[in-house]
Amino acid sequence: MSENDEIPDLKLLNRLLVERMRVKRRPVAITYCYDGPPPGYEPVNVVVACAIVREAEQGRRVYVDANHHDCWVGQYHLGFNPDPGPYIIQGIYLTDAQGFYTPEAAACNKQQSYSLPAGMIKALAAAPLDDVPDGVPVDLMVCVVDPQRAMQIAGAASVRIGTFPVGELGASACASIFAAPWHTKNSVFAIGDGGGRMHNRLDPSEMFVSIPRSHLRYVVELIENFRIDPQKMREVIMPSYAAKAQ
C-alpha cells in the first residue's frame, strides 16, 4: 500500500461508520511502522499482538514490536522474528495445546496463513480511528462488526470498483487482519481464531473487517450513496413482481 493512496478524512469516516452505519465498536486505525513507533504511542507488554485492536477501541494509542508483545505467533506473523523455529512455523504448538489439531493440519494451517515479510516493519501501532495524531499514516482500518455490516464495509470496494473482498477462516487473527490485507491489497473479513476472538472479546455474532488505506474512500462512498429501493429491486429481478408492475 502506497503512502500516496488517497485517504478520506478519518474523523468523517469514523462519524459515518458510527452515526450512519451504527457500528457498535470503535473503529481502529492500524499503522505499519517502518522506522519505529510513532510519538505518543505506548508499548504493550502483556498483550498479544492482535489485541491491540481491543486496546485501541478503549481509547489507547499502543504498539507492539519485537520486544513488546505477549505472543510468539503474533511476533512471527508480523515479521518480528525471522527465525521462530519449526515449533511455530510448522504449527506444532497448535497440536500441543489443542488436541483436535492433527500435526498435518497444523502444518498446513501455518503454510496457508499470511505473514508480513521478516523485518518489513519495526512496530505495529493502533489508535482510535478518530484520534490518530497528525502526521501518522494509516495503513488499515480494523473494526469488529456483525456479519451484515461486515458484508457492507468489507464489500465497499465491490460496489464501487467491482473488487470482491477476501474471506479468512481458520488462520490466526493477526495473520488475517494485519498481514492478509498487505499481501492481497484487498479488504478482508475474518472470523479470527479462538485466541484472537477471546483476546478481543468478540461476541459469537461478531467478526473482524480490515480495510487497506486504498479502499477507505470506498467505505465513505458506499455510506454517502447508500440507498435501497426494495420495490424497485423486486420489480427488476422477480418475474412475479415485474408482472404486477406492468
Side-chain angles (χ1 to χ4, degrees), residues 100-157:
F100 45 79
Y101 267 103
T102 66
E104 295 79 11
C108 286
N109 178 291
K110 304 318 290 182
Q111 289 168 8
Q112 297 179 78
S113 298
Y114 289 105
S115 296
L116 294 177
M120 184 186 91
I121 60 173
K122 291 189 168 53
L124 187 77
L129 186 65
D130 61 345
D131 192 30
V132 179
D134 291 341
V136 175
V138 172
D139 295 291
L140 302 169
M141 179 191 74
V142 176
C143 196
V144 175
V145 294
D146 59 85
Q148 179 172 328
R149 287 170 177 79
M151 173 189 69
Q152 295 167 336
I153 298 170

Side-chain angles (χ1 to χ4, degrees), residues 52-73:
I52 62 172
V53 173
R54 174 70 180 176
E55 296 295 316
E57 284 181 339
Q58 304 306 302
R60 299 180 66 192
R61 298 172 180 168
V62 297
Y63 71 88
V64 288
D65 62 14
N67 299 311
H68 302 94
H69 69 92
D70 198 28
C71 180
W72 297 116
V73 178

Side-chain angles (χ1 to χ4, degrees), residues 21-246:
M21 192 151 285
R22 299 188 183 281
V23 298
K24 294 182 179 179
R25 294 177 59 159
R26 198 171 185 179
V28 169
I30 300 295
T31 300
Y32 298 136
C33 306
Y34 300 99
D35 300 313
Y41 285 65
E42 58 181 310
V44 289
N45 293 312
V46 192
V47 172
V48 299
C50 62
I52 62 172
V53 173
R54 174 70 180 176
E55 296 295 316
E57 284 181 339
Q58 304 306 302
R60 299 180 66 192
R61 298 172 180 168
V62 297
Y63 71 88
V64 288
D65 62 14
N67 299 311
H68 302 94
H69 69 92
D70 198 28
C71 180
W72 297 116
V73 178
Q75 186 188 46
Y76 164 58
H77 286 300
L78 295 177
F80 293 147
N81 187 347
D83 186 21
Y87 194 73
I88 299 297
I89 294 176
Q90 296 179 17
I92 299 171
Y93 74 94
L94 291 169
T95 303
D96 276 1
Q98 303 178 75
F100 45 79
Y101 267 103
T102 66
E104 295 79 11
C108 286
N109 178 291
K110 304 318 290 182
Q111 289 168 8
Q112 297 179 78
S113 298
Y114 289 105
S115 296
L116 294 177
M120 184 186 91
I121 60 173
K122 291 189 168 53
L124 187 77
L129 186 65
D130 61 345
D131 192 30
V132 179
D134 291 341
V136 175
V138 172
D139 295 291
L140 302 169
M141 179 191 74
V142 176
C143 196
V144 175
V145 294
D146 59 85
Q148 179 172 328
R149 287 170 177 79
M151 173 189 69
Q152 295 167 336
I153 298 170
S158 72
V159 301
R160 304 307 293 178
I161 59 172
T163 300
F164 282 147
V166 174
E168 285 269 298
L169 174 63
S172 299
C174 50
S176 294
I177 63 178
F178 302 139
W182 185 86
H183 281 277
T184 64
K185 305 296 186 290
N186 202 352
S187 296
V188 172
F189 62 93
I191 302 298
D193 62 323
R197 294 182 64 85
M198 175 183 69
H199 290 293
N200 284 287
R201 301 185 186 180
L202 269 67
D203 290 337
S205 61
E206 293 179 320
M207 60 196 305
F208 299 97
V209 292
S210 185
I211 314 299
R213 62 181 291 125
S214 59
H215 283 192
L216 292 179
R217 64 189 176 106
Y218 303 131
V219 179
V220 172
E221 291 174 7
L222 165 74
I223 299 173
E224 290 186 331
N225 293 279
F226 198 82
R227 178 183 61 83
I228 297 177
D229 185 336
Q231 180 63 29
K232 183 64 176 179
M233 196 68 177
R234 295 186 187 101
E235 290 175 7
V236 298
I237 69 170
M238 299 174 67
S240 59
Y241 274 86
K244 293 176 184 178
Q246 293 173 358

